[in-house]
Amino acid sequence: MLVSKTKRALTAIAGVALVLSATSAAADYALNLTPGVTPISHEAHTLHMLIMEVCAVIGLIVFGAMFISIIKHRKSRGVKPAQFHESTAVEIVWTIVPFLILVGMAIPATKALVAMEDTSDADLSIKVTGYQWRWGYDYVDDGVSFISTLATPKEEIYNQQPKGENYLLEVDHPLVVPVNKKVRLLITSNDVIHAWWVPKLGMKKDAIPGYINQMWFKIEKEGTYRGQCAELCGKDHGFMPIVVVAKNEADYQQWVADQKGVATADKEAAQRDWSKAELMARGEKVFTGTCAACHQASGEGIPGTFPALKGGAIATGPKADHLALVMHGKPGTAMASFAGQLSDTDLAAVVTYERNSWGNDTGDLVQPSEVKAAR
Amino acid sequence: MSTATTHDAHNEEHPSGLMRWVTTTNHKDIGTLYLLFALMMFIVGGAMAMIIRAELFEPGLQFVEPQFFNSMTTMHALVMIFGAVMPAFVGLANWLIPMMIGAPDMALPRMNNWSFWILPFAFAILLSTLFMEGGAPAGGWTMYPPLVLQTGNAFPFLIFSVHLMGISSIMGAINVIVTIVNMRAPGMTMMKMPLFVWTWLITAYLLIATMPVLAGAVTMLLTDRFFDTSFFNAAGGGDPVMFQHIFWFFGHPEVYILILPAFGIVSQIVPTFARKPLFGYSSMVYATASIAFLSFIVWAHHMFTVGMPLTGELFFMYATMLIAVPTGVKVFNWVSTMWRGAMTFETPMLFALGFVVMFTIGGFSGLMLAMAPVDFQYHDTYFVVAHFHYVLVTGAVFAIMGASYYWMPKWTGHMYDERLGKLHFWLSTISVNVLFFPQHFLGLAGMPRRIPDYSVQFAGFNEISSIGGFAFGLTQLLYVYIVFKTIKGGAKATDQVWEGAHGLEWTLPSPPPYHSFSTAPEVK
């Protein structure tokens, strides 16, 4: 009675909501866990369905008995209440039977868990580092490394532009992996605790400073898979998505070669002196992707939480101190150390940008070679 | 009941007006204070939930900035857990335990006064952080380092308010234990005590065992922040995961602190309206004790994703699944109590029946969450949010509301408005399911918790959930109206109030005298 009423109300309200809302047109009303694209996610899905069905059957019996009682054993039907209040036999049965059901569920769960935690014999290892609020990826064997940041523009978030199909689930540099290879992730964090999770890969692991956690997956189908940070990590916790692109072996190798080319070009570029215009252009890009979340695009920060750079003591003070703060961070605050996250060129560019924007007219240029010397 | 009304006139002298409430050492006055305070915090925490649901109504940021959103989720949890549900249970304990065991008052009346009056200060401190530089705490009610250490000026205020709440709870718990152990009427053996008294006795032990653990953990946070210790700082040789172990060693028994008294309430209400004795009284007591014991050895199921060793994950998975056995026994006992009874469906019974069904739904999702290999998918998603709101809102809060309807005629001497009470139940039940049931779907589809904005695929169910949330919020204003209407007046309640009610509290007049039993009653 109660359930059917609730259900009816739910359907009615769902109907009203559908009619009223324009955004609902883009929403799909997904109800269940997806089977995913890895052996692990298949197992998780199978177990999920099993335990849900077991719960449904138990629920049907218990609620069934209760509703029969509610309908039949009511005073308004003139029944006289029975006075029984114990039965050792019945009580033993309903202690033992649930216990046996639990044992029956624990066996497949144990098998699945053992398989999931077996990170041995990986074909490829990638170190994943959580930062507030982006992910860093280092391909341990191939020497490729990059930072992956939210690509959704602010205008979409603040409702000034229509939202794209992959709103909040798109990044500038996705994690690229080969299909049908056992990929092992070594997960850690640079600041607070994050969690790396892509639902279709079937596994979630916390990124914890001082720890290197492991998880693995073997993607069976080429494609793009999206997820998000799953552990509250501060202001922009909802804005650090994960995108994994699974490619076939040949495409993957091509991608690795391309990345190495980019890295070499970057290294060469760091050798030469950069012009102010070049540094400012690159600096703005780095600032928007890395710094603006806290210090704001206007450089004004958020009073009381994130200091202003516009006219700020650091950004207008000695150049070396400014560079040192960006490189090493400020312990005990959200200001992280960026020496490991950004290249010499990026650091030089962003410090130059901060010293010459929003009316900070220091005129200072920082060259990549200076950053290298400061390391 | 002449014994109850003849007592030393000196005891009856007490200040009137505001000072009556400030200086009171009377269990009924203090119970009332606790209950009204809890109601107030329920409204404050509920207002925060409305802000959360308003922001989540549509994708995109509409009303609040992400940092403030995080403050709202953090404060909502702290206010509801420590400000609404726990004080409400302590208020019920204060009102009912002396009346149920045949005692004149609580054993330690002055401490009783103190344990209440700490609370308004604790929450004044906590709520004042909303106006501080850097904003209110936004690292989640679980206060995980290193994130919580990034809190602005609010940080020490958060820690001290948690300390105060802990002190208040511990004193309340000591009082409950001393009262139950020492002040039972002759003949009121342990195994004759009403289940509400039993569940509270066990809850009180849980409180005394775990609150100091929480106090220790947050004190370590305090010294990490201000005195350069490195308990939880990996760079200094500390361990951020250790905080989680300590926190959840408190935190898991805490969730039973929030539900065991509710089990007690439902075990009082169901027999009354089924007009049949509670089925399996002693197995209820043993099941409660087993749940309490198991609650100490399952904490790390909140942490399956932190990278525990396989054996650790297996142990905590098995231990957690085991809790389903005693919990199942309780549900089976309630259903058996109804079986072949002669039921009527007044408002308290409706809330108790709603509790049995919806708490069990929360129990099922709890069992699913216990399975570590699938928990990797559920963990930190809206599936978890749905789970703990089913056990806490349709569990604990429904039981508290049921209790208020059940005992309010006894407390005030007035019957509440039955028509409005039923309306309150049905509106609450429908809206709460519209609010929380779709959150299961959101979690399974992959929506993480504690995010102010989400991708468009989650828009549909979030909208439905928000509509349910607003409806549930509005419905509770009706509850406030019913409560105050009943306090002010209404049909005169009889001493027994309910046809099927048994127990010492129903032998007292409605409303009961200022001191419940000055001469101990005879229990056969």
Side-chain angles (χ1 to χ4, degrees):
Chain A
M1 183 179 73
L2 193 147
V3 168
S4 72
K5 264 197 186 177
T6 315
K7 228 181 199 167
R8 233 180 299 144
L10 214 150
T11 335
I13 291 181
V16 172
L18 265 174
V19 174
L20 283 179
S21 158
T23 52
S24 296
D28 50 0
Y29 290 82
L31 293 174
N32 205 352
L33 203 64
T34 74
V37 291
T38 65
I40 283 182
S41 66
H42 301 327
E43 281 201 60
H45 181 255
T46 312
L47 269 173
H48 162 76
M49 293 311 290
L50 171 74
I51 187 155
M52 200 159 65
E53 282 155 13
V54 169
C55 287
V57 170
I58 298 172
L60 218 62
I61 296 168
V62 174
F63 299 151
M66 188 171 153
F67 287 125
I68 290 173
S69 195
I70 285 174
I71 291 162
K72 284 179 59 183
H73 308 145
R74 47 170 67 212
K75 198 188 172 200
S76 56
R77 291 170 65 117
V79 291
K80 283 266 169 287
Q83 289 301 313
F84 67 86
H85 55 83
E86 56 190 2
S87 159
T88 313
V90 170
E91 289 176 61
I92 288 174
V93 167
W94 69 38
T95 308
I96 301 222
V97 170
F99 182 78
L100 294 178
I101 296 175
L102 289 177
V103 172
M105 289 194 294
I107 292 167
T110 304
K111 280 189 191 145
L113 193 61
V114 171
M116 286 178 181
E117 294 293 354
D118 178 13
T119 51
S120 60
D121 298 323
D123 299 309
L124 175 70
S125 292
I126 303 171
K127 184 178 157 217
V128 179
T129 311
Y131 300 99
Q132 283 178 316
W133 294 277
R134 60 194 74 84
W135 293 98
Y137 298 108
D138 295 278
Y139 289 64
V140 176
D141 309 309
D142 294 316
V144 172
S145 64
F146 54 89
I147 300 275
S148 177
T149 312
L150 176 74
T152 303
K154 272 231 147 32
E155 290 73 22
E156 286 188 22
I157 296 172
Y158 284 96
N159 310 308
Q160 290 143 359
Q161 276 177 15
K163 298 181 187 359
E165 188 194 348
N166 295 313
Y167 176 69
L168 295 188
L169 296 178
E170 49 200 345
V171 297
D172 52 358
H173 302 295
L175 177 69
V176 178
V177 294
V179 288
N180 295 320
K181 287 274 163 76
K182 183 167 182 175
V183 179
R184 178 175 63 148
L185 300 184
L186 304 164
I187 303 174
T188 187
S189 168
N190 192 53
D191 36 54
V192 302
I193 301 173
H194 305 267
W196 198 92
W197 181 42
V198 175
K200 286 219 163 85
L201 307 189
M203 189 71 176
K204 176 186 291 134
K205 209 66 150 181
D206 288 358
I208 304 171
Y211 277 73
I212 296 178
N213 277 333
Q214 301 192 26
M215 66 171 263
W216 69 277
F217 56 79
K218 193 183 216 172
I219 299 180
E220 292 159 338
K221 228 173 83 191
E222 285 180 49
T224 305
Y225 306 106
R226 297 168 198 276
Q228 282 175 275
C229 175
E231 177 68 51
L232 178 62
C233 58
K235 182 171 81 67
D236 283 355
H237 162 55
F239 305 92
M240 52 181 292
I242 297 153
V243 179
V244 177
V245 177
K247 293 180 187 270
N248 63 44
E249 184 61 25
D251 289 353
Y252 172 73
Q253 290 305 340
Q254 181 59 47
W255 177 83
V256 170
D258 291 348
Q259 295 303 304
K260 283 182 174 161
V262 172
T264 319
D266 261 4
K267 238 181 218 152
E268 275 162 17
Q271 307 295 326
R272 66 177 173 88
D273 272 356
W274 287 52
S275 75
K276 184 172 176 185
E278 284 177 315
L279 284 169
M280 288 297 281
R282 180 144 181 171
E284 183 173 8
K285 252 174 77 183
V286 176
F287 185 85
T288 310
T290 309
C291 317
C294 298
H295 296 293
Q296 305 299 309
S298 63
E300 285 165 353
I302 296 175
T305 317
F306 305 117
L309 303 179
K310 181 181 180 178
I314 300 287
T316 56
K319 186 167 89 171
D321 293 353
H322 185 181
L323 179 61
L325 184 75
V326 175
M327 286 177 70
H328 306 302
K330 189 172 176 189
T333 69
M335 180 66 193
S337 152
F338 288 95
Q341 288 190 54
L342 298 174
S343 68
D344 292 352
T345 316
D346 285 342
L347 281 166
V350 80
V351 173
T352 306
Y353 177 76
E354 288 171 2
R355 299 183 72 77
N356 295 288
S357 303
W358 323 294
N360 292 355
D361 292 322
T362 59
D364 294 337
L365 292 193
V366 181
Q367 291 297 341
S369 53
E370 291 174 62
V371 179
K372 196 174 178 196
R375 274 185 195 269
Chain B
M1 270 306 96
S2 57
T3 48
T5 44
T6 57
H7 35 59
D8 191 345
H10 177 75
N11 287 342
E12 283 295 82
E13 276 173 28
H14 49 79
S16 56
L18 182 66
M19 285 315 281
R20 167 185 169 188
W21 298 102
V22 174
T23 61
T24 184
T25 54
N26 179 275
H27 75 103
K28 298 189 183 75
D29 284 354
I30 295 172
T32 304
L33 286 171
Y34 264 112
L35 288 169
L36 291 178
F37 179 78
L39 185 59
M40 203 166 85
M41 286 298 125
F42 182 62
I43 302 297
V44 171
M48 291 170 179
M50 293 301 106
I51 295 174
I52 294 169
R53 280 323 316 172
E55 182 53 57
L56 292 174
F57 185 68
E58 275 183 336
L61 294 176
Q62 288 85 22
F63 302 105
V64 295
E65 285 298 309
Q67 181 74 18
F68 185 73
F69 181 90
N70 291 345
S71 291
M72 284 296 103
T73 55
T74 305
M75 299 286 277
H76 166 72
L78 289 168
V79 167
M80 286 303 199
I81 293 168
F82 293 100
V85 174
M86 289 171 72
F89 281 140
V90 182
L92 291 169
N94 258 295
W95 255 106
L96 296 170
I97 288 174
M99 298 205 297
M100 284 178 161
I101 62 172
D105 203 311
M106 294 294 277
L108 307 164
R110 286 194 177 79
M111 194 166 84
N112 205 6
N113 172 290
W114 195 25
S115 73
F116 171 75
W117 277 109
I118 283 176
L119 275 186
F121 293 95
F123 281 88
I125 291 172
L126 184 67
L127 293 172
S128 71
T129 61
L130 283 165
F131 308 102
M132 284 179 189
E133 211 174 86
W141 82 278
T142 49
M143 298 177 280
Y144 282 4
L147 181 62
V148 75
L149 300 172
Q150 293 179 357
T151 309
N153 292 351
F155 181 77
F157 295 90
L158 167 69
I159 303 297
F160 290 135
S161 70
V162 171
H163 279 154
L164 289 177
M165 294 167 202
I167 292 170
S168 163
S169 296
I170 290 169
M171 288 198 296
I174 290 173
N175 214 345
V176 165
I177 293 174
V178 177
T179 306
I180 295 174
V181 172
N182 289 304
M183 298 184 64
R184 278 171 289 127
M188 176 62 81
T189 59
M190 294 296 269
M191 291 310 277
K192 273 189 190 160
M193 293 195 312
L195 259 183
F196 179 74
V197 180
W198 254 116
T199 52
W200 238 115
L201 180 64
I202 292 168
T203 303
Y205 278 106
L206 291 182
L207 278 167
I208 290 181
T210 60
M211 278 296 164
V213 177
L214 174 67
V218 297
T219 308
M220 286 191 265
L221 287 176
L222 193 76
T223 63
D224 267 12
R225 167 80 174 255
F226 293 111
F227 304 106
D228 292 330
T229 55
S230 293
F231 291 112
F232 309 125
N233 174 10
D239 181 351
V241 177
M242 187 172 73
F243 176 87
Q244 299 186 20
H245 282 291
I246 302 173
F247 180 86
W248 287 113
F249 183 84
F250 145 79
H252 202 77
E254 169 70 15
V255 308
Y256 289 99
I257 289 166
L258 298 172
I259 202 67
L260 292 185
F263 289 168
I265 290 165
V266 172
S267 305
Q268 302 296 133
I269 295 177
V270 171
T272 296
F273 295 96
R275 292 169 180 74
K276 190 164 155 276
L278 183 70
F279 187 87
Y281 171 89
S282 35
S283 70
M284 282 297 213
V285 173
Y286 300 137
T288 311
S290 324
I291 292 173
F293 168 75
L294 287 172
S295 77
F296 282 106
I297 55 166
V298 297
W299 75 86
H301 67 218
H302 297 270
M303 305 163 53
F304 278 140
T305 62
V306 299
M308 268 186 290
L310 177 64
T311 41
E313 290 179 339
L314 287 173
F315 170 79
F316 285 108
M317 175 171 79
Y318 298 150
T320 306
M321 290 169 80
L322 214 51
I323 293 193
V325 175
T327 313
V329 166
K330 289 196 155 285
V331 175
F332 300 145
N333 280 346
W334 289 321
V335 174
S336 306
T337 306
M338 295 172 211
W339 191 256
R340 292 184 47 215
M343 279 193 271
T344 51
F345 303 93
E346 289 88 343
T347 311
M349 183 60 161
L350 291 176
F351 274 97
L353 294 175
F355 172 96
V356 173
V357 172
M358 292 181 279
F359 171 79
T360 305
I361 292 175
F364 286 144
S365 55
L367 187 58
M368 296 169 77
L369 284 159
M371 308 265 282
V374 212
D375 180 71
F376 297 140
Q377 289 285 46
Y378 305 143
H379 181 78
D380 265 328
T381 69
Y382 261 83
F383 191 79
V384 178
V385 177
H387 159 72
F388 66 70
H389 281 101
Y390 263 88
V391 289
L392 282 178
V393 180
T394 57
V397 173
F398 265 45
I400 291 166
M401 286 174 172
S404 68
Y405 286 109
Y406 185 54
W407 281 293
M408 219 163 9
K410 171 57 61 187
W411 299 334
T412 62
H414 306 134
M415 293 305 288
Y416 60 88
D417 187 328
E418 188 65 59
R419 198 178 48 88
L420 287 182
K422 283 185 172 151
L423 181 68
H424 172 227
F425 169 77
W426 284 110
L427 287 177
S428 295
T429 300
I430 293 167
S431 57
V432 85
N433 282 290
V434 177
L435 165 58
F436 292 122
F437 210 81
Q439 295 186 359
H440 291 114
F441 307 142
L442 285 171
L444 294 176
M447 178 167 165
R449 21 180 327 204
R450 294 167 160 171
I451 55 174
D453 192 8
Y454 47 82
S455 67
V456 285
Q457 58 175 318
F458 305 127
F461 282 126
N462 266 300
E463 209 170 59
I464 295 173
S465 179
S466 286
I467 292 170
F470 302 141
F472 185 72
L474 279 176
T475 303
Q476 301 325 309
L477 299 179
L478 175 63
Y479 175 63
V480 175
Y481 171 74
I482 297 170
V483 169
F484 284 99
K485 194 175 164 216
T486 313
I487 292 173
K488 278 180 72 181
K492 179 89 187 73
T494 61
D495 290 359
Q496 201 190 357
V497 184
W498 311 107
E499 185 192 37
H502 294 287
L504 286 178
E505 78 266 36
W506 307 109
T507 63
L508 290 169
S510 305
Y514 201 58
H515 292 282
S516 302
F517 290 98
S518 294
T519 309
E522 196 67 40
V523 181
K524 286 183 266 327

